[in-house]
Amino acid sequence: MDLSVNERDGSSMAFAMTSSQRGWSRWPRPGTLLTCSYDGTTKFWSISTGRCWRSLKQEGPVMSVAVSSDGRYLLTAAYDGVAALWCVARGEAIRTLKGQEGGLYTAVFSPNGQSVLTASAHGAACMWRWRIGKVQWLLKGHEDNYMRSATFSPDGETIVTTSSDCSLRIWQLDSSDESRAPVLLRTLEGHYGWVNTAVFSPSGDQILSAAADKTARLWSASTGACLLTFTGHWAYVRSAVFSPQQTMVLTASADWTAKLWNSQTATCIQTFTGHSQWVNMASFVNGLAKIVTCSRDNSARLWDTKTGACLRVYDEHSDFVMWAMVPATLATKDYKDQRRKIKASQRRWIAKAASIDWQKDGSVWARRCGSQSNYQLYQ
């Protein structure tokens, strides 16, 4: 596979932001919904008002979106084979990672934020040291079959991959040599259709998979044993995720519905109906009270988990919506509080005489730039 990296310099770019760059300084915004679509855009929405306040554009259909743990960077995976890194504060694509063969299905940050892991239709997972554009390793772990997804365990020591060969595979990363490809620990078999996605539980001891055999399955990460099977959808299960407390499971299906399940008994608790096409993904929003779904009907929807009622529709995409999520870093008021503290520190620094270049107040550093009363703030 021919792999290349491009650090964007602002010249001729196939990436654009469709609105003014003003307002990005207010990022991150709690209560922000992110969606990406086959129309090549990634959109930022206010969950409460339904207003789309930013849109990022790239050439290929965007299949997935992820946010770094500090909220500073956005990562998109497109079916033209390009993973793009965006500086959210500037609204700019700062780097692209490209594999020449096969479109990308997913791209995720490592838990420490230093690496990016992609999964491609060519059957390979690739680990990148994204800040310097270095390929750490390339893994063809499912022979020539499509690799549908690849993601990390919470501790970053293992990854799980899924494939059109109907299996999941768990791999051990080499912490002593990051350039060495991971070693296969075990293969999980039992699905009899493409395995579309797999994720580790928040505790890391279980894995949840979604497959084209109309089921989701719960597995032991340590033994590979199938613990539970979630049956009830009558078409492909496109995605399955854990609730933050690991007590619930949420699935999305090509039967146009999403379902909420008890993770201990595999009992269906709620079915969400209203989309007019495949539901590609469903995810929790800040706990259990609400969920968000996205669909081939070109929309995303917000739902009340208790009543199953649709609370809001987000419908400005012009093609399939492939991914919808509220990043955990943006789901609470933590960032508002953090931002408020930074602004307060800024006022204090401006009021002080600029007698030194660097000053520190708690976790905030200020650096004098330009005039004596102008400071840049760092955490």
Side-chain angles (χ1 to χ4, degrees):
M1 181 180 290
D2 181 15
L3 300 170
S4 61
V5 61
N6 178 32
E7 186 167 359
R8 295 291 177 176
D9 59 5
S11 57
S12 58
M13 294 169 56
F15 296 77
M17 187 174 70
T18 60
S19 56
S20 168
Q21 298 215 9
R22 290 182 61 192
W24 281 97
S25 61
R26 297 193 296 273
W27 178 267
R29 295 183 180 182
T32 296
L33 168 67
L34 296 178
T35 60
C36 64
S37 168
Y38 245 61
D39 63 13
T41 65
T42 300
K43 293 184 181 293
F44 297 67
W45 310 78
S46 166
I47 292 179
S48 58
T49 67
R51 173 177 170 265
C52 177
W53 56 272
R54 283 294 181 270
S55 184
L56 306 175
K57 175 68 175 176
Q58 58 194 93
E59 284 187 343
V62 186
M63 306 297 287
S64 75
V65 59
V67 177
S68 61
S69 58
D70 60 7
R72 296 174 59 195
Y73 301 103
L74 197 74
L75 172 64
T76 56
Y79 206 66
D80 62 358
V82 173
L85 277 301
W86 305 78
C87 175
V88 183
R90 300 202 305 265
E92 297 176 353
I94 58 173
R95 193 176 294 277
T96 59
L97 312 173
K98 182 174 176 57
Q100 298 296 329
E101 299 179 13
L104 297 182
Y105 286 119
T106 62
V108 296
F109 287 102
S110 61
N112 65 12
Q114 299 303 307
S115 300
V116 162
L117 178 64
T118 60
S120 78
H122 189 65
C126 185
M127 181 85 95
W128 303 78
R129 182 67 72 172
W130 69 268
R131 293 177 188 273
I132 60 175
K134 179 182 178 181
V135 177
Q136 294 174 244
W137 45 257
L138 186 67
L139 174 68
K140 287 196 172 183
H142 295 265
E143 288 76 43
D144 293 328
N145 297 282
Y146 289 178
M147 189 172 289
R148 297 285 293 174
S149 71
T151 192
F152 292 92
S153 60
D155 61 11
E157 295 182 359
T158 56
I159 63 172
V160 61
T161 59
T162 69
S163 172
S164 58
D165 67 6
C166 307
S167 75
L168 302 77
R169 299 189 183 188
I170 303 174
W171 308 81
Q172 180 70 52
L173 297 176
D174 189 338
S175 59
S176 64
D177 184 358
E178 294 181 344
S179 64
R180 184 177 298 173
V183 176
L184 180 65
L185 289 179
R186 59 189 56 89
T187 300
L188 281 55
E189 295 178 319
H191 284 295
Y192 55 91
W194 285 21
V195 185
N196 293 311
T197 65
V199 294
F200 283 91
S201 62
S203 63
D205 62 336
Q206 295 178 338
I207 293 173
L208 182 64
S209 60
D213 61 7
K214 309 176 188 178
T215 71
R217 290 181 181 240
L218 185 67
W219 310 80
S220 167
S222 59
T223 68
C226 181
L227 306 175
L228 283 174
T229 301
F230 300 82
T231 58
H233 287 293
W234 53 265
Y236 301 164
V237 180
R238 301 280 294 168
S239 75
V241 296
F242 290 98
S243 65
Q245 297 77 23
Q246 206 169 318
T247 57
M248 301 290 177
V249 162
L250 184 61
T251 57
S253 172
D255 65 8
W256 302 7
T257 72
K259 290 181 181 289
L260 182 69
W261 312 77
N262 184 304
S263 65
Q264 305 300 314
T265 64
T267 303
C268 182
I269 299 169
Q270 186 66 263
T271 299
F272 304 90
T273 59
H275 282 294
S276 58
Q277 253 294 352
W278 291 15
V279 181
N280 288 320
M281 183 183 179
S283 60
F284 290 94
V285 178
N286 192 22
L288 294 174
K290 296 180 179 66
I291 68 161
V292 64
T293 59
C294 62
S295 169
R296 285 194 175 195
D297 65 9
N298 303 354
S299 76
R301 292 178 180 240
L302 182 70
W303 308 82
D304 184 288
T305 54
K306 185 175 181 180
T307 65
C310 179
L311 304 176
R312 192 169 297 280
V313 179
Y314 311 86
D315 58 359
E316 293 185 20
H317 284 291
S318 60
D319 210 331
F320 303 160
V321 184
M322 303 303 297
W323 204 272
M325 63 180 295
V326 177
T329 52
L330 310 181
T332 69
K333 295 182 180 179
D334 292 347
Y335 265 95
K336 279 187 176 179
D337 296 338
Q338 186 182 54
R339 190 71 182 175
R340 192 177 297 113
K341 291 177 182 177
I342 293 175
K343 287 182 178 179
S345 297
Q346 184 178 26
R347 287 193 292 270
R348 288 198 295 273
W349 291 123
I350 290 175
K352 291 183 178 180
S355 59
I356 58 176
D357 286 339
W358 284 94
Q359 301 184 62
K360 186 176 186 294
D361 180 16
S363 63
V364 179
W365 285 85
R367 178 174 67 87
R368 186 173 62 193
C369 57
S371 67
Q372 289 189 340
S373 62
N374 187 16
Y375 281 82
Q376 290 182 339
L377 298 176
Y378 300 84
Q379 282 201 309

